Amino acid sequence: MKSLFGNLVYCLFLFVSDVYGTYRLNGFDPLQVTAQSYAQRRNLARPPLRTLDPSVTDNSCRSRPLDLVFIIDSSRSVRPGEFEKVKIFLADMVDTLDVGPEATRVAVVNYASTVKIEFLLKAHLNKPNMKQAITRIEPLAAGTMTGLAIKSAMTKAFTEESGARPKSKNIAKVAIIVTDGRPQDQVEEVSAAARGSGIEIYAVGVDRADMTSLRLMASNPLEDHVFYVETYGVIEKLTSKFRETLCEVKVVVVEDPCKCEARLAFQMQTQAALQEITARLADMTGRVEQIENILGPV
């Protein structure tokens, strides 16, 4: 009986190991999510975000083709006049881009306690129509569900059905998040999943924005992807900075492309879980042996 139980424990151990090796959380590779989260937390204490250089005014460069999604906070803390400045910023950004079916496509995700996709990447493929659609955006007024907004952008806005180009076309996918508050939901895991799927994330904080959350959301290197402005009144200064950034050719999605450090972190987490399960199995084995000793040979 002892031999039979030992074999049972061993088989259970192999089953648990196989589960950990093949498990996929919510459709996302846990190794990629861990890769992104691990790299993000390692960078939280790095040098502060880049400051803006208002002297950059060059209009000569052409933006690389993008699938670009703006994710804008319209919670109660964003006053109506401030939200209008966000819309002006979006319109100014559109003016700096080469918009078109084969160039840059733009979508806008508006969020507070709920999420509203104002228009998809396939909706407006010229600047006049796009800017007119931006003028019609209204604030949603309550809550700051930033994580939900990022998830909606990833699963609904950045899809081929919504107008995103297929991976074979090698078009960069970029999200620009603008917020002045602290998320009321979790942003780390969903942001890691978004970055792991190939989305480059820029995080723009205004006034009371939580800088730790911005750093957890943004792509690496953080000094190139996290920005801060004191008020919505000066957010237009970001236009020149993004013009400079979006004219660059490089796209940085994962700081550790080989995932060496992330793989180690994931393996350590898995090993710890397996050790805990093994300890419980050993305890259960000991109890069964005690019962066998009491009952005697069967």
Side-chain angles (χ1 to χ4, degrees), residues 24-163:
R24 295 293 182 269
L25 176 61
N26 294 328
F28 301 111
D29 185 342
L31 181 58
Q32 278 196 320
V33 173
T34 304
Q36 293 291 345
S37 296
Y38 183 85
Q40 218 64 6
R41 289 191 172 276
R42 192 186 65 173
N43 278 276
L44 289 183
R46 288 199 169 185
L49 65 164
R50 295 171 72 183
T51 56
L52 300 179
D53 181 4
S55 65
V56 178
T57 58
D58 179 26
N59 288 310
S60 61
C61 72
R62 291 173 60 83
S63 65
R64 52 191 164 100
L66 306 169
D67 286 336
L68 174 61
V69 176
F70 291 99
I71 304 174
I72 56 172
D73 178 359
S74 66
S75 57
R76 187 178 292 110
S77 61
V78 184
R79 293 182 285 272
E82 295 174 331
F83 191 69
E84 289 302 311
K85 294 185 183 298
V86 175
K87 290 161 63 174
I88 292 172
F89 165 65
L90 297 187
D92 288 346
M93 283 292 299
V94 168
D95 277 334
T96 70
L97 302 169
D98 299 311
V99 174
E102 303 304 319
T104 292
R105 302 180 184 182
V106 177
V108 175
V109 174
N110 184 13
Y111 79 95
S113 57
T114 59
V115 176
K116 180 181 179 182
I117 298 180
E118 298 290 346
F119 56 85
L120 296 170
L121 292 167
K122 65 182 180 181
H124 305 293
L125 300 178
N126 62 73
K127 292 185 182 183
N129 289 349
M130 192 177 293
K131 292 171 69 175
Q132 186 62 35
I134 289 173
T135 64
R136 295 193 291 267
I137 298 176
E138 297 293 334
L140 299 176
T144 313
M145 302 296 285
T146 311
L148 180 61
I150 295 171
K151 182 177 180 180
S152 297
M154 177 174 56
T155 59
K156 297 179 181 179
F158 279 112
T159 65
E160 291 185 36
E161 294 77 10
S162 298

Side-chain angles (χ1 to χ4, degrees), residues 227-269:
F227 298 97
Y228 174 81
V229 291
E230 293 80 4
T231 68
Y232 283 102
V234 296
I235 195 172
E236 70 276 4
K237 292 182 180 179
L238 285 171
T239 306
S240 60
K241 178 55 62 180
F242 276 113
R243 182 190 301 119
E244 174 191 3
T245 299
L246 298 180
C247 284
E248 297 175 355
V249 177
K250 66 178 181 178
V251 179
V252 180
V253 177
V254 183
E255 186 182 61
D256 181 21
C258 75
K259 299 188 178 79
C260 303
E261 294 177 329
R263 183 173 286 108
L264 176 61
F266 182 74
Q267 289 173 346
M268 291 174 62
Q269 292 175 354

